[in-house]
Amino acid sequence: MAFDITPYIHETPEKVRELIREGTIDFPTAGMCAGYAQANLVILPPEYAADFEEFTRLNPFPCPVLEIVKGTPETHAMGEGGNIVTDIPRYRIYENGVFTKEVTDASEYWKQGYVGFLIGCSFSFEEALLRAGIEVRHISMGCNVPMYKTNIPTKKAGPFEGPMVVSMRPMTPEHAEIARKITEAMPNVHGAPVEIGDPSRIGIKDIMHPEYGDPVEIREGEIPVFWPCGVTPQAAIENAKLPIVITHAPGHMFITSVLNSELNDYLEARKQK
């Protein structure tokens, strides 16, 4: 399904979060709020939070944590006044590891003690690719990014384990090398690609049938480039079979109030503390 992000490319994160909250925006957020970092989401009951935090620590490239949200669903580090149960266009509800429904407001599912994890998103490095003159195909096609389960295992923590999920962007070999150099300098939004050129090496059998998102055109002379993806926790959640987990719907992100250009330094400084 095509949609138009044009009115929101240069809008502020605060305004777009407001439009999401009121239901005006219910489609993927890639390309919105140019310059600002976007985030994936996982919300868990408190008894599973420590194991999930360890899972993110063991798997930092697909699961780079930007903020852990406790007490209330309101965000602070990634944007004062944000709310992780109202400010994402679409949410997925998993019950006993099964995706049961998609909703545009997850308020009724938040309970006291729940813990939310905002996880870095590849949409954040797309701005740098565009600035370097590299087309981002799903943005130009007006669709969601294609995402695939791979044969790359994640490191297990408690009940959480499963395959790494990757996102794909087609580009020329020359652009792929430029993209690799750009993104390896951005470890807090997935870092360098895990594969350039051959989907079969990471267990992807049919590139036109992604597990999440939409297929995109791959033109003559282009190769697929795959990055670790923040949808990886959703594959682990399916295996963990927890009573309930709330996530973002793939491609539908929380837009932070932190600039991409400042995100890496901000997070590195926080780690030092």
Side-chain angles (χ1 to χ4, degrees), residues 6 73 96 104 116 126 156 203 209 243 249:
T6 310
N96 301 309
T104 55
E126 289 176 348
K156 185 178 190 298
H209 287 87

Side-chain angles (χ1 to χ4, degrees), residues 52-67:
F52 185 75
E53 187 171 356
E54 178 66 2
F55 179 77
T56 65
R57 190 188 68 79
L58 293 172
N59 300 282
F61 287 109
C63 308
V65 174
L66 306 186
E67 181 176 358

Side-chain angles (χ1 to χ4, degrees), residues 44 109 206:
L44 303 149
Y109 296 97
D206 186 349

Side-chain angles (χ1 to χ4, degrees), residues 203-214:
I204 297 170
K205 294 184 173 64
D206 186 349
I207 202 162
M208 297 315 291
H209 287 87
E211 275 89 0
Y212 312 92
D214 302 312

Side-chain angles (χ1 to χ4, degrees), residues 57-126:
R57 190 188 68 79
L58 293 172
N59 300 282
F61 287 109
C63 308
V65 174
L66 306 186
E67 181 176 358
I68 299 176
V69 180
K70 297 179 179 178
T72 74
E74 293 170 355
T75 58
H76 300 288
M78 289 296 114
E80 286 295 342
N83 188 310
I84 57 172
V85 295
T86 61
D87 296 359
I88 285 175
R90 290 187 175 273
Y91 298 85
R92 286 191 164 187
I93 310 301
Y94 287 83
E95 297 173 277
N96 301 309
V98 178
F99 163 46
T100 55
K101 58 178 80 83
E102 199 165 279
V103 297
T104 55
D105 186 320
S107 302
E108 67 179 282
Y109 296 97
W110 176 274
K111 291 187 170 57
Q112 189 171 3
Y114 275 22
V115 181
F117 293 81
L118 287 173
I119 293 170
C121 171
S122 58
F123 289 177
S124 292
F125 67 61
E126 289 176 348

